[in-house]
Amino acid sequence: MWVKIARLILRNKAVMLTLIGLITAFMAYRGINVKLSYEYASMLPKKDTAYKEYNYFKSLFGEEANVFIIGYRDTNFFELEKFNDLRHLTDSIKTIDGITGLLDVSHVMTIEKDTKAKKFVAIPVFPDTVNSQKTLDSLGHEISNLPFYKNLLFNDTGKVYLIAITFEKKLIDSKERLSVIDNIKEQF
């Protein structure tokens, strides 16, 4: 059997080479349109219960993988000039196209009860600019007493702080995210 196949190939080598050349040219032509996908591959079948629960979770809490975290350690974080510089930095990052949100220590909110409207109101802890070290110290003490942010945005024992930057979903799934990250790097 292998002898017959070898004879067929050798007798028709011009046809075989032409056929291989045409197939190669067709594949090269189709390869021009190949694009890189930035989306995650689905590992589970769509009918799987874990997949369905995951999609339900995403519908409640939003997409994953669109938050960029910057962590830094600073033992003198609550110095007036340094804090205002951070506030200015994070405000400039928020204006970059493709950024939908930013959360850091300088932008934390506290929740107060509005008894007249019967609802909770989010109020920023820090003003746009802090004018005195004394004010900054008292506000810093106030956020250290807010248990929600402890070990989430800051860690008092290690003096570690985080900036969480949220990207638009469509940006994460494209190569344009690299230019946005470069813009963030330029701000530093």
Side-chain angles (χ1 to χ4, degrees), residues 116-180:
K116 291 181 182 176
K118 294 186 180 181
K119 64 179 185 176
F120 291 107
V121 179
I123 299 171
V125 173
F126 296 99
D128 291 338
T129 303
V130 181
N131 295 320
S132 73
Q133 185 65 46
K134 185 177 179 181
T135 304
L136 181 59
D137 291 340
S138 70
L139 293 173
H141 181 70
E142 183 179 332
I143 67 156
S144 67
N145 291 326
L146 295 173
F148 179 77
Y149 299 111
K150 218 174 250 188
N151 296 325
L152 181 65
L153 284 180
F154 64 91
N155 179 326
D156 276 341
T157 57
K159 301 297 182 190
V160 177
Y161 302 89
L162 295 179
I163 301 172
I165 304 168
T166 308
F167 290 84
E168 291 177 1
K169 173 68 175 132
K170 66 177 181 151
L171 186 75
I172 289 296
D173 294 337
S174 70
K175 64 181 178 180
E176 284 81 28
R177 73 173 184 245
L178 300 175
S179 64
V180 173

Side-chain angles (χ1 to χ4, degrees), residues 32-139:
I32 292 171
N33 298 324
V34 172
K35 294 192 166 111
L36 184 61
S37 173
Y38 291 90
E39 293 183 13
Y40 295 110
S42 178
M43 302 297 282
L44 297 172
K46 293 186 179 180
K47 293 182 179 180
D48 188 71
T49 56
Y51 182 78
K52 290 177 181 177
E53 288 172 6
Y54 173 68
N55 281 333
Y56 176 70
F57 178 84
K58 282 192 337 182
S59 71
L60 288 176
F61 299 105
E63 285 295 319
E64 79 292 349
N66 61 339
V67 178
F68 186 69
I69 304 291
I70 300 171
Y72 55 96
R73 178 175 293 172
D74 191 348
T75 55
N76 300 318
F77 178 75
F78 287 105
E79 288 181 359
L80 184 62
E81 184 179 346
K82 195 181 287 188
F83 185 84
N84 283 329
D85 287 346
L86 173 73
R87 180 71 182 219
H88 177 72
L89 170 71
T90 54
D91 285 343
S92 65
I93 290 173
K94 283 201 293 189
T95 63
I96 297 173
D97 286 337
I99 302 297
T100 59
L102 183 139
L103 180 63
D104 74 313
V105 174
S106 69
H107 289 90
V108 296
M109 305 287 243
T110 185
I111 298 176
E112 292 184 4
K113 186 167 68 168
D114 183 356
T115 54
K116 291 181 182 176
K118 294 186 180 181
K119 64 179 185 176
F120 291 107
V121 179
I123 299 171
V125 173
F126 296 99
D128 291 338
T129 303
V130 181
N131 295 320
S132 73
Q133 185 65 46
K134 185 177 179 181
T135 304
L136 181 59
D137 291 340
S138 70
L139 293 173

Side-chain angles (χ1 to χ4, degrees), residues 14-28:
V15 172
M16 292 294 181
L17 287 173
T18 304
L19 185 63
I20 290 172
L22 287 173
I23 290 171
T24 303
F26 175 75
M27 292 296 179

